[in-house]
Amino acid sequence: MSVAAESIQGRPVVAREFTSVGVVGLGTMGAGIVEVFARNGVDVVAVEISGAALERGRATLTGSTDRAVAKGKLAEADRDALLSRVDFQVGLDALHSVDLVIEAVPEHLDLKQRIFAELDRVCKPEAILATNTSSLSVTEISVATTRPNQVIGIHFFNPAPVMKLVEVVRTVVTSADVVADVEALCKRLGKVDVTISDRAGFIANALLFGYLNHAVGMFESHYASREDIDAAMKLGCGLPMGPLALMDLIGLDTAYEILDTMYRRGGRDRRHAPVPLIKQMVTAGLLGRKSGRGFYTYERPGSPVVVPDEHTPVATESALADGTRGIMTVGVVGSGTMATGIIEVFAKAGYEVVSVTRGAEKSAKVFEAVKTSLNKGVVRGKLSEADRDAALGRINWSATLEHLADVDLVVEAVVEELSVKKALFASLDEICKPGVVLATTTSSLPVIDVAMATQRPADVVGLHFFNPAPIMPLIEVVQTIRTSAETTATAKAVCAALGKTGVVCGDRSGFIVNALLFPYLNDAVKMLEASYSTADDIDYAMKLGCGYPMGPFELLDVVGLDVSLAIQRELYLELREPGFAPAPLLEHLVTAGYLGRKTGRGFRDHTRR
């Protein structure tokens, strides 16, 4: 982040005072920018191309401030003062005396260049000219003027009055004084700025839109439903919105323009080449919320309320109506953190559980871990003592697989080595009764390889729990090409009985969550590696600009760089997408033993915190 009190070539920076600003374009973003300035005591000249467009912009601003008053976030007197600071005008000539102009018109380079050429003619010589572009080249916009050193990118995020982040984008000729003035202005507006150079997508969009495009590709290929893709990323990663719902909010036409621009400007990375479905939907007028239909169907154009349509899944009246098997007793094989959590989840949900480990000592450790976790639930008031005792009473401890002969479901949670899992499933195939569901919790290995170690691949499914299993609400139900519909339905019913959300996907590396999450994390490492921005600024950009609960480097250090590298390698090996190749910096840090929080050092030094 910037420091406004820095010195430039030994001179202290004295930021200029912006007493009036102009905003060109009063759509959702432009009206929001007007509100940000007027809220902070700055006089604004709000400009549109016509009287009708001007009235629409006025209505947008009035509606936003009225909602703020209704929610108790803005006093009526403050709203009235805010609106009094805004001078609505038609035409750019009204901007002749402002100190700063921010352009917020549609993302078309030729349009922006024409506007900047006209602003260059109209505005006073010392005025700063800024663009709110999210993907176009600020440099290409600046050369339409005779003052490219006074042109800068000021990229607000939507909704501008709420989102804290502003990306300040300097070109190779932007004056250092201009950058410092804009950084100080952001601070005055109560925003957090990250200052970066002019590159396709800047920070947030460069990382966000590759992920969104990948999610659309997943949906287009029928890998998973729209609901399951969105639920997976919300529940598995804590994101505020799923990727397809977010595409609808952004607008598919806008998303297409951003992706297409990033593809052409950013080295023609295939992952930024818009998925064909996006162009088809735009052509068909399915633009998202603003048109009332995109990936989802909305109550009316502009409404956030999703209504059922022909693709909405129909809830089954009875769990047994769709051919699910009755599950009463569950076997869990393994003694690690994941196995311990899964045992607790099933026992609390009322299932009889047979825990199988490699010996009495391992069983004793698992018992203590489960008991400790349940006791914490009692202390926190989330579990009664009677429920705790009942849960513990449902667990049977064993060191032999033969005790799984009569269970209805086996969940394997052993080490992530294919040979170990295949050997275990071959043994389960011999021991377990016919009709038992055999599930693996693998997060990265092919489920079909495990299934084919048995003579009953139709009964094998992936149940990918997330850590910590008692807390995380998501389970990925992974069906292979041999998994029966009955087995998948049974697995889904079990997830529901556990109080979890089960999302169904195919047997492909990374499933839904890891396949979408880790390429995004890898892209962040490549951005750092290229010295485009700092780890802190990249983390700020994704948390404040996109609402992510953690920045990519915070998350990498928590997950473990070795784990992240292993998953990224699996994705690259299976999908053979050049953009998925692990970032060399990630490989070097793992080689050096910098694995994240668990070793005290990853992208950050945690020993000093």
Side-chain angles (χ1 to χ4, degrees):
M1 287 187 295
S2 66
V3 179
E6 288 177 323
S7 63
I8 298 175
Q9 296 178 343
R11 296 181 291 106
V13 174
V14 179
R16 80 166 79 178
E17 183 70 22
F18 293 95
T19 57
S20 64
V21 303
V23 177
V24 180
L26 303 180
T28 303
M29 182 56 76
I33 294 171
V34 169
E35 182 176 339
V36 168
F37 280 103
R39 269 180 181 258
N40 287 278
V42 181
D43 290 334
V44 184
V45 179
V47 172
E48 258 296 358
I49 194 170
S50 68
L54 195 70
E55 289 311 307
R56 285 195 296 272
R58 189 197 303 268
T60 300
L61 176 62
T62 303
S64 176
T65 53
D66 285 349
R67 285 192 297 274
V69 170
K71 292 176 181 176
K73 295 183 177 180
L74 190 66
E76 289 189 21
D78 291 337
R79 175 199 57 195
D80 296 341
L82 183 163
L83 293 174
S84 72
R85 295 187 191 105
V86 184
D87 178 16
F88 290 93
Q89 295 286 340
V90 173
L92 299 178
D93 286 338
L95 301 171
H96 58 88
S97 63
V98 299
D99 302 315
L100 164 73
V101 178
I102 298 182
E103 161 275 311
V105 303
E107 289 284 274
H108 300 296
L109 181 61
D110 57 345
L111 172 61
K112 291 180 188 284
Q113 286 177 326
R114 288 198 305 273
I115 287 173
F116 271 72
E118 185 65 11
L119 290 172
D120 188 37
R121 182 189 68 79
V122 168
C123 294
K124 59 188 182 185
E126 65 271 23
I128 294 174
L129 307 182
T131 173
N132 183 59
T133 183
S134 60
S135 61
L136 296 174
S137 168
V138 178
T139 305
E140 290 186 48
I141 294 169
S142 74
V143 296
T145 76
T146 61
R147 55 176 108 177
N149 62 315
Q150 289 169 236
V151 177
I152 195 168
I154 304 180
H155 179 215
F156 287 82
F157 287 74
N158 194 24
V162 176
M163 300 301 283
K164 298 288 287 184
L165 182 74
V166 175
E167 289 177 320
V168 176
V169 186
R170 59 172 180 250
T171 73
V172 291
V173 297
T174 304
S175 161
D177 288 334
V178 169
V179 174
D181 289 342
V182 169
E183 289 173 342
L185 177 62
C186 290
K187 185 175 181 181
R188 175 183 170 186
L189 297 175
K191 301 294 186 183
V192 175
D193 70 275
V194 293
T195 300
I196 46 181
S197 56
D198 185 19
R199 190 178 106 166
F202 314 136
I203 296 175
N205 282 353
L207 295 180
L208 176 66
F209 275 86
Y211 150 73
L212 294 177
N213 201 40
H214 189 183
V216 176
M218 216 176 244
F219 175 70
E220 182 186 51
S221 66
H222 304 289
Y223 177 68
S225 71
R226 61 187 182 182
E227 288 86 359
D228 281 358
I229 292 170
D230 280 354
M233 298 313 291
K234 286 172 64 180
L235 301 178
C237 298
L239 302 187
M241 296 183 76
L244 302 180
L246 181 56
M247 287 284 282
D248 276 358
L249 175 62
I250 293 168
L252 272 69
D253 50 344
T254 302
Y256 179 85
E257 291 294 338
I258 291 172
L259 283 165
D260 187 54
T261 300
M262 287 174 57
Y263 175 71
R264 287 185 283 104
R265 286 189 60 211
R268 298 191 178 270
D269 185 334
R270 284 196 319 227
R271 290 173 312 119
H272 289 144
V275 170
L277 178 62
I278 302 174
K279 183 63 176 293
Q280 293 163 20
M281 293 176 73
V282 171
T283 304
L286 306 177
L287 307 182
R289 284 191 190 183
K290 59 187 171 188
S291 68
R293 180 114 188 224
F295 289 102
Y296 296 90
T297 300
Y298 298 88
E299 199 172 43
R300 61 183 179 278
S303 170
V305 179
V306 175
V307 296
D309 58 21
E310 65 272 23
H311 302 297
T312 303
V314 179
T316 307
E317 288 296 323
S318 167
L320 297 175
D322 52 6
T324 60
R325 304 172 195 173
I327 304 294
M328 304 294 292
T329 307
V330 179
V332 180
V333 183
S335 57
T337 302
M338 187 56 75
T340 302
I342 292 169
I343 290 167
E344 179 184 337
V345 167
F346 276 103
K348 282 199 298 189
Y351 289 95
E352 293 293 324
V353 180
V354 179
S355 166
V356 178
T357 67
R358 287 180 294 171
E361 187 177 338
K362 294 275 189 187
S363 290
K365 286 184 178 178
V366 175
F367 169 76
E368 287 301 325
V370 172
K371 185 178 178 181
T372 299
S373 180
L374 291 171
N375 282 336
K376 286 180 181 177
V378 172
V379 170
R380 292 170 182 165
K382 296 183 177 180
L383 195 68
S384 70
E385 291 187 11
D387 287 339
R388 173 201 61 194
D389 296 341
L392 285 171
R394 294 187 193 102
I395 307 170
N396 298 292
W397 307 95
S398 173
T400 175
L401 292 174
E402 278 69 22
H403 287 147
L404 300 175
D406 293 321
V407 301
D408 305 310
L409 164 67
V410 178
V411 179
E412 163 274 311
V414 300
V415 66
E416 281 284 275
E417 290 182 18
L418 187 57
S419 59
V420 175
K421 291 183 187 287
K422 288 173 71 172
L424 172 60
F425 271 72
S427 297
L428 293 173
D429 189 33
E430 293 181 3
I431 293 167
C432 294
K433 66 185 181 183
V436 67
V437 174
L438 303 178
T440 173
T441 61
T442 183
S443 61
S444 59
L445 299 173
V447 178
I448 189 64
D449 282 2
V450 177
M452 295 309 292
T454 75
Q455 300 300 312
R456 51 174 109 183
D459 295 331
V460 178
V461 69
L463 282 180
H464 179 216
F465 288 77
F466 286 74
N467 195 25
I471 295 172
M472 295 297 284
L474 182 72
I475 301 174
E476 288 177 318
V477 178
V478 186
Q479 54 186 1
T480 76
I481 55 174
R482 295 290 297 270
T483 305
S484 71
E486 181 186 21
T487 299
T488 301
T490 301
K492 278 274 288 181
V494 167
C495 294
L498 295 175
K500 308 284 189 184
T501 297
V503 296
V504 178
C505 59
D507 182 22
R508 199 170 77 182
S509 185
F511 312 138
I512 298 174
V513 173
N514 286 351
L516 293 177
L517 174 65
F518 282 89
Y520 146 76
L521 297 175
N522 196 50
D523 284 346
V525 179
K526 290 179 180 178
M527 188 177 279
L528 177 67
E529 189 174 49
S531 300
Y532 178 65
S533 190
T534 65
D536 284 347
D537 277 1
I538 294 170
D539 277 355
Y540 281 124
M542 298 314 293
K543 288 195 293 184
L544 301 179
C546 299
Y548 282 25
M550 301 178 78
F553 297 105
E554 288 178 284
L555 184 55
L556 281 161
D557 277 0
V558 169
V559 170
L561 274 62
D562 51 341
V563 174
S564 303
L565 177 59
I567 292 172
Q568 192 61 38
R569 281 174 173 163
E570 287 290 336
L571 290 169
Y572 179 53
L573 285 171
E574 179 166 321
L575 302 176
R576 305 300 172 100
E577 170 59 60
F580 284 0
L585 176 59
L586 182 60
E587 295 184 315
H588 295 166
L589 288 168
V590 171
T591 302
Y594 294 167
L595 308 184
R597 285 186 178 272
K598 60 189 172 186
T599 60
R601 177 79 182 266
F603 285 98
R604 294 184 174 90
D605 185 348
H606 299 281
T607 61
R608 299 178 183 177
R609 292 172 180 247

